[in-house]
Amino acid sequence: MFNRENYKRIKQEFTAKHLAAGEAQRARMREAEAGHPELAQINAALSQTGLRIFAAAMAGRDGLDERIAALRRENDELLSQRAELLTLIGYPADYLDLRYECGKCLDTGFVDNGERLCTCMRRALVLAGYESSGIGPLLERQTFDNFSLQYYTEPADRKRMEQVYETVRRYVELFSDEKPQNLLFFGQTGLGKTHLSSAIAKSLIDRGFDVLYETAQNLFADFEDEKFNRAYNTGVEERKTDRYFSCDLLIIDDLGAELSNQFTASCLYNLINTRYNTGKSCIISTNLTHPEIEKRYSQRVLSRLLGQYQNLQFTGRDIRMMKLT
């Protein structure tokens, strides 16, 4: 599910935020107690509540409910006295309360005794997923809601693209991280391949999946760096290419725009083959035809794309050019 590095970082941020709330409360307490010994006495008594409840429990079950109820009444009375005193000396009545950003999880990021992500942490992970996806800005602009079929003016193109759109929506609805679900978008430029790829990415990131979107040019450049950069080979730097293999969904945009050679063909075959064998999904978009794919990357790459990917052809007129006229 969520990107592991994002999860680790955000969990640490929530832990720090939870601890910071406690430290901020203690700082306010030191400030308010200065020159007001009676407030310090009340706070000292309140700090012993937990120990007193533990001692009452250890005294035996007989009369336990009564003892606990009495301690709660005493605690409530102390809190009332503190609120009155704080108001008297010029502070808000709740000045010494713990202040968490999220009242449900108390800034821990988890609810139900740590068994479930709080909505606030899930949202933080989603936003981090947008950033680490590689296309953060596109995710807000290119969604399913603003994908329009009106630009496909020819009846045959409109019918085909309606089928493509419905197929892609089903893809998102049925997506899981249990088995590979691969798509190949092919067709001329400006027909909506990038838009629908972005829409898929956003929808799946919102559901908690780790999605990485990268152009073929940048992807192959990273593999070249790994091969020729000594830092990668010695393990000094983390391998950027690791995530190309580990993310739940890899979207490779504009395959064929890069400078193709034997190295890129080998990388592509290894990537799509490894992801399929390890149960990881992939979406590839390209302006190339099937024969052109075979010529650039080999027959075995085309064979994988035909046999392991659902091929969706995009047709119509260049939407970008239509918007300019």
Side-chain angles (χ1 to χ4, degrees):
M1 294 293 282
F2 292 108
N3 174 268
R4 287 174 293 182
E5 289 303 315
N6 288 343
Y7 181 85
K8 180 181 178 180
R9 173 176 58 81
I10 290 173
K11 186 178 179 181
Q12 291 173 342
E13 290 175 358
F14 269 76
T15 298
K17 185 164 57 173
H18 176 80
L19 295 174
E23 180 54 40
Q25 182 202 38
R26 289 187 289 273
R28 294 194 302 273
M29 195 171 292
R30 290 191 296 269
E31 173 197 338
E33 287 178 353
H36 300 94
E38 62 274 37
L39 180 60
Q41 291 174 0
I42 293 174
N43 286 333
L46 285 169
S47 69
Q48 296 298 311
T49 300
L51 290 175
R52 296 178 67 194
I53 291 175
F54 178 76
M58 295 300 293
R61 296 186 60 83
D62 291 342
L64 176 60
D65 291 343
E66 291 79 4
R67 294 194 299 274
I68 296 297
L71 288 172
R72 286 177 175 168
R73 287 193 296 272
E74 292 177 22
N75 192 72
D76 289 341
E77 177 60 26
L78 288 169
L79 288 172
S80 179
Q81 292 176 17
R82 185 172 77 173
E84 291 178 7
L85 182 55
L86 283 169
T87 303
L88 185 64
I89 62 179
Y91 290 99
D94 62 352
Y95 187 66
L96 298 184
D97 292 352
L98 273 167
R99 298 175 181 175
Y100 296 110
E101 292 181 17
C102 179
K104 291 188 293 184
C105 70
L106 308 183
D107 292 350
T108 63
F110 297 90
V111 293
D112 297 340
N113 296 318
E115 295 181 359
R116 192 163 55 88
L117 283 178
C118 184
T119 54
C120 66
M121 184 170 179
R122 179 174 290 277
R123 182 58 183 166
L125 286 166
V126 167
L127 293 175
Y130 289 169
E131 295 177 5
S132 62
S133 68
I135 53 165
L138 285 182
L139 297 179
E140 297 299 330
R141 300 198 306 268
Q142 298 182 338
T143 67
F144 284 122
D145 290 337
N146 61 26
F147 181 81
S148 176
L149 291 167
Q150 71 177 0
Y151 295 103
Y152 305 95
T153 55
E154 295 296 325
D157 294 334
R158 172 73 67 88
K159 183 177 181 180
R160 178 183 293 276
M161 293 310 299
E162 286 176 348
Q163 294 173 342
V164 168
Y165 180 81
E166 292 303 320
T167 299
V168 168
R169 291 303 299 260
R170 282 198 308 274
Y171 177 88
V172 170
E173 293 171 3
L174 300 176
F175 188 90
S176 74
D177 55 1
E178 296 179 355
K179 63 179 181 179
Q181 302 160 79
N182 305 312
L183 299 176
L184 175 66
F185 294 166
F186 69 101
Q188 295 301 309
T189 186
L191 298 181
K193 298 189 296 296
T194 297
H195 190 133
L196 286 183
S197 295
S198 301
I200 292 171
K202 183 179 187 307
S203 297
L204 293 182
I205 291 171
D206 286 344
R207 286 174 51 192
F209 291 103
D210 180 19
V211 179
L212 179 59
Y213 190 119
E214 191 56 271
T215 65
Q217 186 174 10
N218 290 341
L219 181 146
F220 291 125
D222 287 338
F223 278 106
E224 288 179 358
D225 284 344
E226 180 180 297
K227 180 178 181 180
F228 299 111
N229 188 325
R230 291 184 178 181
Y232 281 113
N233 295 331
T234 57
V236 174
E237 295 182 13
E238 181 181 357
R239 294 175 183 269
K240 288 181 64 177
T241 59
D242 287 348
R243 195 162 166 235
Y244 292 138
F245 293 96
S246 65
C247 61
D248 295 323
L249 173 64
L250 173 64
I251 301 177
I252 305 174
D253 189 32
D254 212 8
L255 181 69
E258 80 290 346
L259 179 63
S260 301
N261 51 43
Q262 187 174 359
F263 176 77
T264 57
S266 177
C267 286
L268 179 61
Y269 177 81
N270 179 51
L271 183 59
I272 62 177
N273 195 55
T274 300
R275 286 190 63 84
Y276 183 82
N277 290 338
T278 56
K280 299 294 185 180
S281 299
C282 188
I283 295 175
I284 298 175
S285 69
T286 182
N287 299 339
L288 301 176
T289 63
H290 289 152
E292 289 171 335
I293 291 174
E294 180 177 9
K295 183 177 180 180
R296 281 178 178 249
Y297 304 105
S298 79
Q299 191 277 332
R300 63 175 185 169
V301 167
L302 178 62
S303 176
R304 291 294 190 276
L305 295 180
L306 292 177
Q308 299 171 353
Y309 285 62
Q310 183 173 4
N311 285 228
L312 299 177
Q313 184 177 12
F314 286 59
T315 60
R317 295 172 56 197
D318 189 327
I319 295 173
R320 299 189 190 98
M321 297 301 297
M322 294 174 67
K323 288 181 177 179
L324 293 175
T325 60

